[in-house]
């Protein structure tokens, strides 16, 4: 048995086994260290993912978001209605403006004085009467006297007897009227 049991062979086998175990131990230690580093990295990624997955306080919840969207839709609809009403009013005002411009052109092209025959004598008599002078004419149509209403409210009669000039009568009439 002595030849079978060779201490050197056993020693080499044990040394190789120890060396193999040390190499395996180092390899496992390195793998364990890498696994710990990877676990730490994954834990940080998990924590980051948790933080990003939670809704920040500045962002509304799903219910608040839905309510906000409904409010915005209602506002959009009311604004669309207001815009539509304003456009309708604008169209109406533009039509009225076009009509008024047409009327203005028609009025500018027409001559109201030519449409009516005015009696200048009647206008002058109305103005004289407004100033307080009322002429009295005879049967031939000549002015024989003038009724003058003074500023005091008195009525005076001025007779035209051909003894004075037109300027003297005019001054007399104004004097009586301003008395």
């Amino acid at each position: 048995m002595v030849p079978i049991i060779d201490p050197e062979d056993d020693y080499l086998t044990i040394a190789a086994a120890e060396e193999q175990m040390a190499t395996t131990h180092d390899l496992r230690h390195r793998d364990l260290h890498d696994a710990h580093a990877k676990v730490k990295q994954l834990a940080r990624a998990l924590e980051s993912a948790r933080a990003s997955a939670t809704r920040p306080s500045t962002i509304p919840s799903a219910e608040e978001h839905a309510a906000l969207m409904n409010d915005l839709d209602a506002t959009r609809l009311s604004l669309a209605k207001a815009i539509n009403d304003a456009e309708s009013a604008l169209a109406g005002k533009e039509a009225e403006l076009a009509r008024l411009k047409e009327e203005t052109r028609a009025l500018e092209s027409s001559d109201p004085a030519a449409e009516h025959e005015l009696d200048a004598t009647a206008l002058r008599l109305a103005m004289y009467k407004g100033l307080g002078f009322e002429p009295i004419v005879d049967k031939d149509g000549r002015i024989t006297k003038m009724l003058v209403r003074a500023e005091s409210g008195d009525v005076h009669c001025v007779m035209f007897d051909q003894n004075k000039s037109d300027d003297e009568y005019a001054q007399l009439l104004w004097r009586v009227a301003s008395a």
Side-chain angles (χ1 to χ4, degrees):
M1 262 279 249
V2 169
I4 297 179
I5 302 178
D6 184 14
E8 197 174 302
D9 237 3
D10 287 341
Y11 174 75
L12 287 176
T13 304
I14 291 174
E18 281 181 351
E19 188 178 318
Q20 182 70 24
M21 285 175 55
T23 306
T24 304
H25 177 47
D26 286 345
L27 189 63
R28 284 184 183 158
H29 190 304
R30 213 175 314 130
D31 286 346
L32 183 63
H33 184 269
D34 288 346
H36 277 293
K38 198 170 245 184
V39 166
K40 283 183 181 179
Q41 181 184 8
L42 288 173
R44 283 192 296 265
L46 175 66
E47 193 58 37
S48 174
R50 274 192 187 138
S52 67
T54 58
R55 186 179 297 270
S57 62
T58 58
I59 296 176
S61 67
E63 295 82 20
E64 291 171 336
H65 178 72
L68 180 63
M69 291 303 291
N70 287 338
D71 289 345
L72 289 175
D73 279 344
T75 302
R76 181 179 55 86
L77 290 174
S78 67
L79 285 175
K81 183 181 180 306
I83 288 170
N84 191 16
D85 292 345
E87 286 175 347
S88 297
L90 176 65
K93 294 297 181 186
E94 286 175 344
E96 183 180 358
L97 178 63
R99 182 184 58 79
L100 290 174
K101 281 184 177 180
E102 185 60 35
E103 281 183 28
T104 302
R105 273 193 293 277
L107 288 174
E108 286 174 350
S109 65
S110 70
D111 184 14
E115 293 174 7
H116 303 287
E117 234 179 88
L118 298 177
D119 185 7
T121 306
L123 285 175
R124 278 194 294 274
L125 287 174
M127 286 188 342
Y128 292 150
K129 211 173 211 184
L131 291 172
F133 300 101
E134 188 172 342
I136 306 294
V137 294
D138 61 6
K139 58 184 169 191
D140 296 330
R142 287 183 306 224
I143 299 175
T144 57
K145 54 185 168 181
M146 180 81 68
L147 295 177
V148 180
R149 187 182 49 224
E151 288 180 0
S152 62
D154 295 338
V155 177
H156 302 279
C157 181
V158 176
M159 300 292 287
F160 296 114
D161 54 7
Q162 304 297 333
N163 291 340
K164 298 180 182 175
S165 69
D166 290 342
D167 287 336
E168 291 174 329
Y169 278 123
Q171 288 176 6
L172 174 65
L173 289 172
W174 283 113
R175 213 173 333 137
V176 171
S178 60

